[in-house]
Amino acid sequence: MQIEVIVNLKKIKMEVDANEFLADTLRKYGILSVRKGCDTTCCGLCTVWIDDKPTLSCTTLSFRANGRKITTIEGVHKEADEFAQILVAEGAEQCGFCSPGFIMTVLAMKNELTNPTEETIVHYLTGNLCRCTGYMGQLRAIKTYLGVQ
Ligand code: FES
Ligand code: FES
């Protein structure tokens, strides 16, 4: 079947199977920042935005994205670079495997939350796993990025 989506502000027609998931479709169409870690909604690595809301693309059927706006890290690279520099400064960037999904979640948090507490930030990040950093550097970086104590 064919769907039409707006990916990073560009309208694209995509051929998809009925049982195909969005992470696979996006990669098939060259959006290679989208990766899968667990494939079972546990790690957050595959996070993209659908209509500006963080969504796990590994378990979202592609046809459900028909007519909707999809944003990946390629579409927000200026904001992603800004946050990545803070991450590096805090020593919170190690292998980087988790970064695409993690950064999409943090940028969504910035859009959605005003003056979040540490508890709110941690809760928002519940679905994003990182096997390297221990999270404390990431938490410092997020607080700096959001301008909260
Ligand atoms: S690959 Fe989608 S949550 Fe892990
Ligand atoms: S930096 Fe390695 S998994 Fe997060």
Side-chain angles (χ1 to χ4, degrees):
M1 71 178 72
Q2 189 177 76
I3 62 171
E4 186 172 286
V5 290
I6 296 171
V7 182
N8 299 328
L9 302 181
K10 198 168 144 198
K11 201 178 270 191
I12 309 180
K13 287 184 173 41
M14 294 175 160
E15 282 299 327
V16 302
D17 292 330
N19 61 352
E20 186 172 320
F21 289 109
L22 188 57
D24 299 316
T25 305
L26 291 170
R27 289 188 63 83
K28 190 170 80 180
Y29 281 84
I31 316 286
L32 300 179
S33 71
V34 180
R35 298 185 212 146
K36 294 190 287 186
C38 66
D39 216 1
T40 54
T41 70
C42 294
C43 74
L45 178 57
C46 64
T47 303
V48 301
W49 299 348
I50 297 182
D51 294 339
D52 298 325
K53 295 284 177 209
T55 304
L56 297 176
S57 62
C58 71
T59 46
T60 299
L61 286 165
S62 301
F63 76 83
R64 291 197 179 276
N66 190 28
R68 300 175 76 182
K69 181 176 90 168
I70 300 167
T71 308
T72 69
I73 207 164
E74 287 90 343
V76 287
H77 57 85
K78 189 164 158 270
E79 297 87 343
D81 278 354
E82 185 191 344
F83 177 61
Q85 282 175 24
I86 300 171
L87 266 183
V88 170
E90 290 292 351
E93 176 79 347
Q94 292 189 26
C95 80
F97 188 68
C98 64
S99 294
F102 173 67
I103 291 175
M104 289 308 286
T105 302
V106 172
L107 300 188
M109 190 184 323
K110 179 158 184 154
N111 292 337
E112 280 180 30
L113 305 182
T114 306
N115 264 335
T117 62
E118 184 171 310
E119 191 182 6
T120 304
I121 293 170
V122 169
H123 181 72
Y124 200 101
L125 281 174
T126 302
N128 287 84
L129 302 183
C130 173
R131 63 188 171 181
C132 301
T133 64
Y135 301 106
M136 296 317 292
Q138 291 178 338
L139 192 53
R140 287 194 302 273
I142 292 167
K143 286 176 162 179
T144 301
Y145 182 61
L146 299 181
V148 298
Q149 296 293 315

